[in-house]
Amino acid sequence: MQAGYQCASSLRPSLNEHLFSKGKIGDELRHLILHIAQAAKYVHSAIRTTEMGLTGTRNQFGEKQLKLDLVSDDIIQQHLCESRLVRSFVSEEHKEIVELAHDAPYSVVFDPLDGSSLVDVNFSIGSIFGIFRGGSIVGKKPEDQVAALYTIYGPRTLLVYCTCNGVHEFILNEVGEFILLREFLGIADGAKNFSPGNLNSILDDKPYHDVLHAWLHEGVKLRYSGCMVADIHHILSKGQGVFAYPAGSRYPDGKLRLVFECGPFAYIVHHAGGAASDGKIAIMGKEITSIEQTTPVIIGSCKEVERTCALLTR
Ligand code: P6P
């Protein structure tokens, strides 16, 4: 079947069809994304069936691990391995890079269940993925990703992917298929919503205090859930907004992870017409020096990101 063939149907196209006809990628990357989507279906199920509670262990960031964190991590690992397309992966739940098939074409970075501590209050949580060509990701930059995607497990389970030809949103339907909901999501230059992370740092960070003051004075509405996936999805879904998690005394280098959180979202937001910065440089161009690297992040509507960074660095 020639690549230009379009399936003429009134039904919403499947993720596979959309990747094939609009993803502008090869079969191997398309199959890898489909394996990740398949893993997300099992994570969706695990959230509803896995016993709550802690494992008694901690991840590389010293955070207590929930049983669901490890179950989700195992599910994703298995699907990456079964794809035979992954040379190595880096998971937020592992201290080291895990080598799989040495001659495989891609490396994958992922946070298996971002915001998992919110599962007991039934808030939306999500999984975040970045895909690089080749081997080790240390020395690379988020702009070197060939794809990034996330899934959000809320009242509806959604998947959003980007492969450099726009940002596209899918919903998991009642028969377990991801079908297209909206394509070519865009982010306006100005923000009407703000998500202020690391809020306690305004006590010792006057510039951040001034940023908050400006947003409140201008009537910009607060939207903050405590899960980065949900808060960034809010920006992509509403087409505007700004999310900030600056550094502070508690997190001198920022709290959020460059590899597993900020890098994939910088790639997605960039391709939706938004921007992501650490306050000084674009996250897309920030070199990965270690898998544990954290970074301050201001991400969303590009004019608002620009203004916020200017105010924060005064
Ligand atoms: P705080 C979740 O633990 C997370 O990594 C992100 O998803 C979220 O944006 C942030 O931390 C929330 O941090 O300090 O508000 O609990």
PDB file of all heavy atoms in Angstrom, residues 63 92 111 113-118 126 128 196-200 224-232 243-245 250-251 255-257 261 265 297, ligand 1:
ATOM      1  N   GLU A  63      12.570   9.080  46.622  1.00  0.00           N
ATOM      2  CA  GLU A  63      11.114   9.115  46.843  1.00  0.00           C
ATOM      3  C   GLU A  63      10.571   7.719  47.143  1.00  0.00           C
ATOM      4  O   GLU A  63      10.963   6.748  46.486  1.00  0.00           O
ATOM      5  CB  GLU A  63      10.432   9.678  45.582  1.00  0.00           C
ATOM      6  CG  GLU A  63      10.823  11.127  45.305  1.00  0.00           C
ATOM      7  CD  GLU A  63      10.449  11.551  43.890  1.00  0.00           C
ATOM      8  OE1 GLU A  63      10.344  10.655  43.017  1.00  0.00           O
ATOM      9  OE2 GLU A  63      10.271  12.753  43.661  1.00  0.00           O
ATOM     10  N   GLU A  92      12.486   6.488  35.588  1.00  0.00           N
ATOM     11  CA  GLU A  92      12.620   7.249  36.832  1.00  0.00           C
ATOM     12  C   GLU A  92      12.742   6.311  38.031  1.00  0.00           C
ATOM     13  O   GLU A  92      13.270   6.657  39.081  1.00  0.00           O
ATOM     14  CB  GLU A  92      11.413   8.181  37.017  1.00  0.00           C
ATOM     15  CG  GLU A  92      11.563   9.103  38.221  1.00  0.00           C
ATOM     16  CD  GLU A  92      10.365   9.999  38.426  1.00  0.00           C
ATOM     17  OE1 GLU A  92      10.259  10.978  37.675  1.00  0.00           O
ATOM     18  OE2 GLU A  92       9.555   9.686  39.314  1.00  0.00           O
ATOM     19  N   ASP A 111       8.939   8.188  32.648  1.00  0.00           N
ATOM     20  CA  ASP A 111       8.443   8.230  34.023  1.00  0.00           C
ATOM     21  C   ASP A 111       7.175   7.387  34.000  1.00  0.00           C
ATOM     22  O   ASP A 111       6.164   7.804  33.448  1.00  0.00           O
ATOM     23  CB  ASP A 111       8.151   9.687  34.430  1.00  0.00           C
ATOM     24  CG  ASP A 111       7.649   9.778  35.860  1.00  0.00           C
ATOM     25  OD1 ASP A 111       7.367   8.722  36.476  1.00  0.00           O
ATOM     26  OD2 ASP A 111       7.517  10.912  36.361  1.00  0.00           O
ATOM     27  N   LEU A 113       4.847   6.511  36.127  1.00  0.00           N
ATOM     28  CA  LEU A 113       3.602   7.000  36.718  1.00  0.00           C
ATOM     29  C   LEU A 113       3.853   8.305  37.470  1.00  0.00           C
ATOM     30  O   LEU A 113       4.058   8.331  38.682  1.00  0.00           O
ATOM     31  CB  LEU A 113       2.998   5.936  37.638  1.00  0.00           C
ATOM     32  CG  LEU A 113       1.470   5.952  37.750  1.00  0.00           C
ATOM     33  CD1 LEU A 113       0.790   5.896  36.393  1.00  0.00           C
ATOM     34  CD2 LEU A 113       0.974   4.813  38.631  1.00  0.00           C
ATOM     35  N   ASP A 114       3.826   9.388  36.699  1.00  0.00           N
ATOM     36  CA  ASP A 114       4.075  10.713  37.268  1.00  0.00           C
ATOM     37  C   ASP A 114       2.868  11.146  38.098  1.00  0.00           C
ATOM     38  O   ASP A 114       1.720  11.029  37.650  1.00  0.00           O
ATOM     39  CB  ASP A 114       4.293  11.695  36.107  1.00  0.00           C
ATOM     40  CG  ASP A 114       4.536  13.098  36.598  1.00  0.00           C
ATOM     41  OD1 ASP A 114       5.545  13.318  37.287  1.00  0.00           O
ATOM     42  OD2 ASP A 114       3.690  13.975  36.325  1.00  0.00           O
ATOM     43  N   GLY A 115       3.149  11.605  39.326  1.00  0.00           N
ATOM     44  CA  GLY A 115       2.049  12.043  40.190  1.00  0.00           C
ATOM     45  C   GLY A 115       1.369  10.894  40.908  1.00  0.00           C
ATOM     46  O   GLY A 115       0.258  11.030  41.430  1.00  0.00           O
ATOM     47  N   SER A 116       2.038   9.730  40.954  1.00  0.00           N
ATOM     48  CA  SER A 116       1.382   8.522  41.505  1.00  0.00           C
ATOM     49  C   SER A 116       0.911   8.709  42.944  1.00  0.00           C
ATOM     50  O   SER A 116      -0.031   8.043  43.384  1.00  0.00           O
ATOM     51  CB  SER A 116       2.331   7.320  41.431  1.00  0.00           C
ATOM     52  OG  SER A 116       3.544   7.619  42.101  1.00  0.00           O
ATOM     53  N   SER A 117       1.534   9.648  43.679  1.00  0.00           N
ATOM     54  CA  SER A 117       1.106   9.843  45.079  1.00  0.00           C
ATOM     55  C   SER A 117      -0.324  10.390  45.145  1.00  0.00           C
ATOM     56  O   SER A 117      -0.948  10.410  46.197  1.00  0.00           O
ATOM     57  CB  SER A 117       2.057  10.812  45.787  1.00  0.00           C
ATOM     58  OG  SER A 117       2.027  12.066  45.120  1.00  0.00           O
ATOM     59  N   LEU A 118      -0.848  10.803  43.998  1.00  0.00           N
ATOM     60  CA  LEU A 118      -2.204  11.379  43.969  1.00  0.00           C
ATOM     61  C   LEU A 118      -3.271  10.325  43.651  1.00  0.00           C
ATOM     62  O   LEU A 118      -4.458  10.621  43.606  1.00  0.00           O
ATOM     63  CB  LEU A 118      -2.269  12.491  42.918  1.00  0.00           C
ATOM     64  CG  LEU A 118      -1.335  13.682  43.178  1.00  0.00           C
ATOM     65  CD1 LEU A 118      -1.261  14.570  41.938  1.00  0.00           C
ATOM     66  CD2 LEU A 118      -1.807  14.487  44.391  1.00  0.00           C
ATOM     67  N   GLY A 126      -0.172  10.365  35.220  1.00  0.00           N
ATOM     68  CA  GLY A 126       0.187  10.050  33.840  1.00  0.00           C
ATOM     69  C   GLY A 126       1.538   9.377  33.687  1.00  0.00           C
ATOM     70  O   GLY A 126       2.314   9.255  34.631  1.00  0.00           O
ATOM     71  N   ILE A 128       5.056   9.434  31.078  1.00  0.00           N
ATOM     72  CA  ILE A 128       5.754  10.339  30.164  1.00  0.00           C
ATOM     73  C   ILE A 128       6.862   9.571  29.445  1.00  0.00           C
ATOM     74  O   ILE A 128       7.595   8.801  30.092  1.00  0.00           O
ATOM     75  CB  ILE A 128       6.409  11.513  30.934  1.00  0.00           C
ATOM     76  CG1 ILE A 128       5.425  12.160  31.907  1.00  0.00           C
ATOM     77  CG2 ILE A 128       6.985  12.556  29.961  1.00  0.00           C
ATOM     78  CD1 ILE A 128       6.077  13.096  32.914  1.00  0.00           C
ATOM     79  N   PRO A 196       1.521  27.330  39.462  1.00  0.00           N
ATOM     80  CA  PRO A 196       2.712  27.743  40.207  1.00  0.00           C
ATOM     81  C   PRO A 196       3.278  26.627  41.071  1.00  0.00           C
ATOM     82  O   PRO A 196       2.829  26.416  42.200  1.00  0.00           O
ATOM     83  CB  PRO A 196       2.177  28.880  41.055  1.00  0.00           C
ATOM     84  CG  PRO A 196       0.760  28.468  41.360  1.00  0.00           C
ATOM     85  CD  PRO A 196       0.277  27.643  40.189  1.00  0.00           C
ATOM     86  N   GLY A 197       4.271  25.906  40.596  1.00  0.00           N
ATOM     87  CA  GLY A 197       4.916  24.882  41.418  1.00  0.00           C
ATOM     88  C   GLY A 197       5.911  25.516  42.373  1.00  0.00           C
ATOM     89  O   GLY A 197       6.283  26.682  42.227  1.00  0.00           O
ATOM     90  N   ASN A 198       6.361  24.723  43.380  1.00  0.00           N
ATOM     91  CA  ASN A 198       7.355  25.188  44.354  1.00  0.00           C
ATOM     92  C   ASN A 198       6.941  26.515  44.982  1.00  0.00           C
ATOM     93  O   ASN A 198       7.751  27.429  45.175  1.00  0.00           O
ATOM     94  CB  ASN A 198       8.739  25.336  43.690  1.00  0.00           C
ATOM     95  CG  ASN A 198       9.868  25.261  44.728  1.00  0.00           C
ATOM     96  OD1 ASN A 198       9.616  24.914  45.881  1.00  0.00           O
ATOM     97  ND2 ASN A 198      11.058  25.632  44.334  1.00  0.00           N
ATOM     98  N   LEU A 199       5.643  26.611  45.292  1.00  0.00           N
ATOM     99  CA  LEU A 199       5.065  27.879  45.758  1.00  0.00           C
ATOM    100  C   LEU A 199       5.723  28.386  47.037  1.00  0.00           C
ATOM    101  O   LEU A 199       5.876  29.589  47.248  1.00  0.00           O
ATOM    102  CB  LEU A 199       3.563  27.695  45.974  1.00  0.00           C
ATOM    103  CG  LEU A 199       2.684  28.942  45.885  1.00  0.00           C
ATOM    104  CD1 LEU A 199       2.991  29.772  44.649  1.00  0.00           C
ATOM    105  CD2 LEU A 199       1.212  28.552  45.911  1.00  0.00           C
ATOM    106  N   ASN A 200       6.168  27.469  47.920  1.00  0.00           N
ATOM    107  CA  ASN A 200       6.731  27.960  49.195  1.00  0.00           C
ATOM    108  C   ASN A 200       8.022  28.748  48.970  1.00  0.00           C
ATOM    109  O   ASN A 200       8.469  29.483  49.835  1.00  0.00           O
ATOM    110  CB  ASN A 200       6.938  26.814  50.195  1.00  0.00           C
ATOM    111  CG  ASN A 200       7.955  25.808  49.711  1.00  0.00           C
ATOM    112  OD1 ASN A 200       8.356  25.836  48.548  1.00  0.00           O
ATOM    113  ND2 ASN A 200       8.372  24.922  50.599  1.00  0.00           N
ATOM    114  N   TYR A 224      -3.606  24.159  39.289  1.00  0.00           N
ATOM    115  CA  TYR A 224      -2.457  23.357  39.714  1.00  0.00           C
ATOM    116  C   TYR A 224      -2.954  22.088  40.377  1.00  0.00           C
ATOM    117  O   TYR A 224      -3.748  22.152  41.299  1.00  0.00           O
ATOM    118  CB  TYR A 224      -1.579  24.138  40.696  1.00  0.00           C
ATOM    119  CG  TYR A 224      -0.249  23.473  40.989  1.00  0.00           C
ATOM    120  CD1 TYR A 224       0.787  23.521  40.058  1.00  0.00           C
ATOM    121  CD2 TYR A 224      -0.023  22.773  42.178  1.00  0.00           C
ATOM    122  CE1 TYR A 224       2.013  22.913  40.316  1.00  0.00           C
ATOM    123  CE2 TYR A 224       1.186  22.172  42.436  1.00  0.00           C
ATOM    124  CZ  TYR A 224       2.202  22.247  41.504  1.00  0.00           C
ATOM    125  OH  TYR A 224       3.402  21.641  41.747  1.00  0.00           O
ATOM    126  N   SER A 225      -2.527  20.926  39.852  1.00  0.00           N
ATOM    127  CA  SER A 225      -3.044  19.653  40.391  1.00  0.00           C
ATOM    128  C   SER A 225      -1.996  18.898  41.213  1.00  0.00           C
ATOM    129  O   SER A 225      -2.324  17.999  41.970  1.00  0.00           O
ATOM    130  CB  SER A 225      -3.506  18.757  39.235  1.00  0.00           C
ATOM    131  OG  SER A 225      -2.368  18.177  38.601  1.00  0.00           O
ATOM    132  N   GLY A 226      -0.714  19.235  41.029  1.00  0.00           N
ATOM    133  CA  GLY A 226       0.336  18.448  41.689  1.00  0.00           C
ATOM    134  C   GLY A 226       0.843  17.331  40.808  1.00  0.00           C
ATOM    135  O   GLY A 226       1.724  16.574  41.201  1.00  0.00           O
ATOM    136  N   CYS A 227       0.279  17.192  39.598  1.00  0.00           N
ATOM    137  CA  CYS A 227       0.803  16.210  38.633  1.00  0.00           C
ATOM    138  C   CYS A 227       1.166  16.977  37.363  1.00  0.00           C
ATOM    139  O   CYS A 227       0.298  17.580  36.718  1.00  0.00           O
ATOM    140  CB  CYS A 227      -0.251  15.152  38.310  1.00  0.00           C
ATOM    141  SG  CYS A 227       0.249  14.075  36.946  1.00  0.00           S
ATOM    142  N   MET A 228       2.441  16.927  37.008  1.00  0.00           N
ATOM    143  CA  MET A 228       2.912  17.696  35.838  1.00  0.00           C
ATOM    144  C   MET A 228       2.182  17.283  34.561  1.00  0.00           C
ATOM    145  O   MET A 228       1.827  18.144  33.747  1.00  0.00           O
ATOM    146  CB  MET A 228       4.424  17.502  35.669  1.00  0.00           C
ATOM    147  CG  MET A 228       5.025  18.374  34.579  1.00  0.00           C
ATOM    148  SD  MET A 228       6.798  18.093  34.453  1.00  0.00           S
ATOM    149  CE  MET A 228       7.258  19.512  33.451  1.00  0.00           C
ATOM    150  N   VAL A 229       1.925  15.970  34.408  1.00  0.00           N
ATOM    151  CA  VAL A 229       1.233  15.514  33.185  1.00  0.00           C
ATOM    152  C   VAL A 229      -0.114  16.205  33.074  1.00  0.00           C
ATOM    153  O   VAL A 229      -0.474  16.756  32.033  1.00  0.00           O
ATOM    154  CB  VAL A 229       1.045  13.980  33.197  1.00  0.00           C
ATOM    155  CG1 VAL A 229       0.186  13.539  32.019  1.00  0.00           C
ATOM    156  CG2 VAL A 229       2.386  13.268  33.155  1.00  0.00           C
ATOM    157  N   ALA A 230      -0.878  16.216  34.168  1.00  0.00           N
ATOM    158  CA  ALA A 230      -2.219  16.825  34.131  1.00  0.00           C
ATOM    159  C   ALA A 230      -2.127  18.332  33.906  1.00  0.00           C
ATOM    160  O   ALA A 230      -2.922  18.904  33.141  1.00  0.00           O
ATOM    161  CB  ALA A 230      -2.956  16.525  35.429  1.00  0.00           C
ATOM    162  N   ASP A 231      -1.141  18.965  34.525  1.00  0.00           N
ATOM    163  CA  ASP A 231      -1.039  20.429  34.416  1.00  0.00           C
ATOM    164  C   ASP A 231      -0.554  20.871  33.036  1.00  0.00           C
ATOM    165  O   ASP A 231      -1.020  21.883  32.510  1.00  0.00           O
ATOM    166  CB  ASP A 231      -0.126  20.968  35.518  1.00  0.00           C
ATOM    167  CG  ASP A 231      -0.759  20.778  36.901  1.00  0.00           C
ATOM    168  OD1 ASP A 231      -2.008  20.760  36.987  1.00  0.00           O
ATOM    169  OD2 ASP A 231      -0.006  20.630  37.882  1.00  0.00           O
ATOM    170  N   ILE A 232       0.344  20.080  32.445  1.00  0.00           N
ATOM    171  CA  ILE A 232       0.785  20.425  31.078  1.00  0.00           C
ATOM    172  C   ILE A 232      -0.321  20.066  30.076  1.00  0.00           C
ATOM    173  O   ILE A 232      -0.563  20.774  29.102  1.00  0.00           O
ATOM    174  CB  ILE A 232       2.086  19.706  30.697  1.00  0.00           C
ATOM    175  CG1 ILE A 232       3.207  20.006  31.689  1.00  0.00           C
ATOM    176  CG2 ILE A 232       2.518  20.071  29.273  1.00  0.00           C
ATOM    177  CD1 ILE A 232       3.722  21.419  31.674  1.00  0.00           C
ATOM    178  N   PHE A 243       3.191  26.903  33.134  1.00  0.00           N
ATOM    179  CA  PHE A 243       3.505  26.053  34.281  1.00  0.00           C
ATOM    180  C   PHE A 243       4.919  26.425  34.710  1.00  0.00           C
ATOM    181  O   PHE A 243       5.826  26.491  33.869  1.00  0.00           O
ATOM    182  CB  PHE A 243       3.447  24.583  33.873  1.00  0.00           C
ATOM    183  CG  PHE A 243       3.910  23.607  34.923  1.00  0.00           C
ATOM    184  CD1 PHE A 243       3.002  22.977  35.753  1.00  0.00           C
ATOM    185  CD2 PHE A 243       5.259  23.294  35.072  1.00  0.00           C
ATOM    186  CE1 PHE A 243       3.430  22.056  36.721  1.00  0.00           C
ATOM    187  CE2 PHE A 243       5.699  22.393  36.043  1.00  0.00           C
ATOM    188  CZ  PHE A 243       4.768  21.776  36.867  1.00  0.00           C
ATOM    189  N   ALA A 244       5.071  26.704  36.010  1.00  0.00           N
ATOM    190  CA  ALA A 244       6.412  27.075  36.502  1.00  0.00           C
ATOM    191  C   ALA A 244       6.755  26.229  37.712  1.00  0.00           C
ATOM    192  O   ALA A 244       5.934  26.060  38.623  1.00  0.00           O
ATOM    193  CB  ALA A 244       6.444  28.555  36.885  1.00  0.00           C
ATOM    194  N   TYR A 245       7.953  25.639  37.705  1.00  0.00           N
ATOM    195  CA  TYR A 245       8.492  24.995  38.891  1.00  0.00           C
ATOM    196  C   TYR A 245       9.936  25.472  39.033  1.00  0.00           C
ATOM    197  O   TYR A 245      10.886  24.783  38.611  1.00  0.00           O
ATOM    198  CB  TYR A 245       8.410  23.471  38.839  1.00  0.00           C
ATOM    199  CG  TYR A 245       8.348  22.867  40.222  1.00  0.00           C
ATOM    200  CD1 TYR A 245       7.162  22.339  40.722  1.00  0.00           C
ATOM    201  CD2 TYR A 245       9.462  22.858  41.060  1.00  0.00           C
ATOM    202  CE1 TYR A 245       7.089  21.810  41.996  1.00  0.00           C
ATOM    203  CE2 TYR A 245       9.407  22.360  42.342  1.00  0.00           C
ATOM    204  CZ  TYR A 245       8.213  21.833  42.822  1.00  0.00           C
ATOM    205  OH  TYR A 245       8.144  21.323  44.089  1.00  0.00           O
ATOM    206  N   ARG A 250      14.727  24.928  48.721  1.00  0.00           N
ATOM    207  CA  ARG A 250      14.491  23.480  48.909  1.00  0.00           C
ATOM    208  C   ARG A 250      15.006  22.674  47.711  1.00  0.00           C
ATOM    209  O   ARG A 250      15.491  21.554  47.848  1.00  0.00           O
ATOM    210  CB  ARG A 250      12.978  23.258  49.094  1.00  0.00           C
ATOM    211  CG  ARG A 250      12.608  21.826  49.472  1.00  0.00           C
ATOM    212  CD  ARG A 250      11.120  21.709  49.749  1.00  0.00           C
ATOM    213  NE  ARG A 250      10.708  20.317  49.914  1.00  0.00           N
ATOM    214  CZ  ARG A 250       9.440  19.902  49.777  1.00  0.00           C
ATOM    215  NH1 ARG A 250       8.482  20.784  49.510  1.00  0.00           N
ATOM    216  NH2 ARG A 250       9.131  18.623  49.924  1.00  0.00           N
ATOM    217  N   TYR A 251      14.900  23.279  46.532  1.00  0.00           N
ATOM    218  CA  TYR A 251      15.370  22.599  45.309  1.00  0.00           C
ATOM    219  C   TYR A 251      16.287  23.554  44.553  1.00  0.00           C
ATOM    220  O   TYR A 251      15.849  24.208  43.606  1.00  0.00           O
ATOM    221  CB  TYR A 251      14.190  22.205  44.426  1.00  0.00           C
ATOM    222  CG  TYR A 251      13.192  21.260  45.066  1.00  0.00           C
ATOM    223  CD1 TYR A 251      11.912  21.705  45.409  1.00  0.00           C
ATOM    224  CD2 TYR A 251      13.517  19.929  45.324  1.00  0.00           C
ATOM    225  CE1 TYR A 251      10.992  20.845  45.993  1.00  0.00           C
ATOM    226  CE2 TYR A 251      12.603  19.060  45.913  1.00  0.00           C
ATOM    227  CZ  TYR A 251      11.339  19.528  46.242  1.00  0.00           C
ATOM    228  OH  TYR A 251      10.431  18.680  46.825  1.00  0.00           O
ATOM    229  N   LYS A 255      13.227  20.841  41.019  1.00  0.00           N
ATOM    230  CA  LYS A 255      12.806  19.507  41.466  1.00  0.00           C
ATOM    231  C   LYS A 255      12.589  18.554  40.295  1.00  0.00           C
ATOM    232  O   LYS A 255      12.846  17.367  40.370  1.00  0.00           O
ATOM    233  CB  LYS A 255      11.491  19.605  42.255  1.00  0.00           C
ATOM    234  CG  LYS A 255      10.887  18.236  42.573  1.00  0.00           C
ATOM    235  CD  LYS A 255       9.505  18.307  43.188  1.00  0.00           C
ATOM    236  CE  LYS A 255       8.973  16.904  43.471  1.00  0.00           C
ATOM    237  NZ  LYS A 255       7.564  16.905  43.940  1.00  0.00           N
ATOM    238  N   LEU A 256      12.060  19.080  39.199  1.00  0.00           N
ATOM    239  CA  LEU A 256      11.603  18.214  38.115  1.00  0.00           C
ATOM    240  C   LEU A 256      12.768  17.717  37.267  1.00  0.00           C
ATOM    241  O   LEU A 256      13.770  18.396  37.084  1.00  0.00           O
ATOM    242  CB  LEU A 256      10.548  18.941  37.282  1.00  0.00           C
ATOM    243  CG  LEU A 256       9.321  19.367  38.112  1.00  0.00           C
ATOM    244  CD1 LEU A 256       8.309  20.100  37.261  1.00  0.00           C
ATOM    245  CD2 LEU A 256       8.695  18.177  38.821  1.00  0.00           C
ATOM    246  N   ARG A 257      12.617  16.460  36.742  1.00  0.00           N
ATOM    247  CA  ARG A 257      13.694  15.778  36.043  1.00  0.00           C
ATOM    248  C   ARG A 257      13.774  16.218  34.590  1.00  0.00           C
ATOM    249  O   ARG A 257      12.776  16.259  33.878  1.00  0.00           O
ATOM    250  CB  ARG A 257      13.483  14.256  36.093  1.00  0.00           C
ATOM    251  CG  ARG A 257      13.590  13.633  37.463  1.00  0.00           C
ATOM    252  CD  ARG A 257      12.393  13.945  38.314  1.00  0.00           C
ATOM    253  NE  ARG A 257      12.411  13.226  39.578  1.00  0.00           N
ATOM    254  CZ  ARG A 257      11.396  13.250  40.442  1.00  0.00           C
ATOM    255  NH1 ARG A 257      10.315  13.956  40.142  1.00  0.00           N
ATOM    256  NH2 ARG A 257      11.461  12.595  41.567  1.00  0.00           N
ATOM    257  N   GLU A 261      10.847  14.153  32.601  1.00  0.00           N
ATOM    258  CA  GLU A 261       9.662  15.033  32.669  1.00  0.00           C
ATOM    259  C   GLU A 261       9.821  16.244  31.741  1.00  0.00           C
ATOM    260  O   GLU A 261       9.104  16.407  30.776  1.00  0.00           O
ATOM    261  CB  GLU A 261       9.444  15.487  34.129  1.00  0.00           C
ATOM    262  CG  GLU A 261       9.019  14.355  35.055  1.00  0.00           C
ATOM    263  CD  GLU A 261       9.132  14.686  36.544  1.00  0.00           C
ATOM    264  OE1 GLU A 261      10.132  15.314  36.951  1.00  0.00           O
ATOM    265  OE2 GLU A 261       8.216  14.302  37.302  1.00  0.00           O
ATOM    266  N   PHE A 265       8.334  16.916  27.662  1.00  0.00           N
ATOM    267  CA  PHE A 265       7.300  17.967  27.571  1.00  0.00           C
ATOM    268  C   PHE A 265       7.804  19.185  26.806  1.00  0.00           C
ATOM    269  O   PHE A 265       7.049  19.834  26.086  1.00  0.00           O
ATOM    270  CB  PHE A 265       6.811  18.368  28.974  1.00  0.00           C
ATOM    271  CG  PHE A 265       5.735  17.473  29.500  1.00  0.00           C
ATOM    272  CD1 PHE A 265       5.878  16.823  30.715  1.00  0.00           C
ATOM    273  CD2 PHE A 265       4.576  17.249  28.773  1.00  0.00           C
ATOM    274  CE1 PHE A 265       4.887  15.978  31.197  1.00  0.00           C
ATOM    275  CE2 PHE A 265       3.578  16.402  29.234  1.00  0.00           C
ATOM    276  CZ  PHE A 265       3.741  15.766  30.446  1.00  0.00           C
ATOM    277  N   VAL A 297      11.926  24.820  35.626  1.00  0.00           N
ATOM    278  CA  VAL A 297      11.200  24.795  34.356  1.00  0.00           C
ATOM    279  C   VAL A 297      10.079  25.828  34.364  1.00  0.00           C
ATOM    280  O   VAL A 297       9.372  25.987  35.363  1.00  0.00           O
ATOM    281  CB  VAL A 297      10.638  23.376  34.049  1.00  0.00           C
ATOM    282  CG1 VAL A 297       9.690  22.889  35.121  1.00  0.00           C
ATOM    283  CG2 VAL A 297       9.992  23.325  32.665  1.00  0.00           C
TER     284      VAL A 297
HETATM  285  P1  P6P B   1       4.949  19.482  44.551  1.00  0.00           P
HETATM  286  C1  P6P B   1       4.938  14.792  40.995  1.00  0.00           C
HETATM  287  O1  P6P B   1       5.554  14.263  42.157  1.00  0.00           O
HETATM  288  C2  P6P B   1       5.900  15.787  40.372  1.00  0.00           C
HETATM  289  O2  P6P B   1       7.086  15.142  40.015  1.00  0.00           O
HETATM  290  C3  P6P B   1       5.255  16.462  39.161  1.00  0.00           C
HETATM  291  O3  P6P B   1       4.384  15.650  38.482  1.00  0.00           O
HETATM  292  C4  P6P B   1       4.540  17.649  39.798  1.00  0.00           C
HETATM  293  O4  P6P B   1       4.394  18.755  38.901  1.00  0.00           O
HETATM  294  C5  P6P B   1       5.441  18.013  40.979  1.00  0.00           C
HETATM  295  O5  P6P B   1       6.184  16.827  41.310  1.00  0.00           O
HETATM  296  C6  P6P B   1       4.621  18.452  42.167  1.00  0.00           C
HETATM  297  O6  P6P B   1       5.542  18.885  43.146  1.00  0.00           O
HETATM  298  O7  P6P B   1       6.162  20.080  45.221  1.00  0.00           O
HETATM  299  O8  P6P B   1       3.911  20.520  44.173  1.00  0.00           O
HETATM  300  O9  P6P B   1       4.345  18.302  45.262  1.00  0.00           O
END
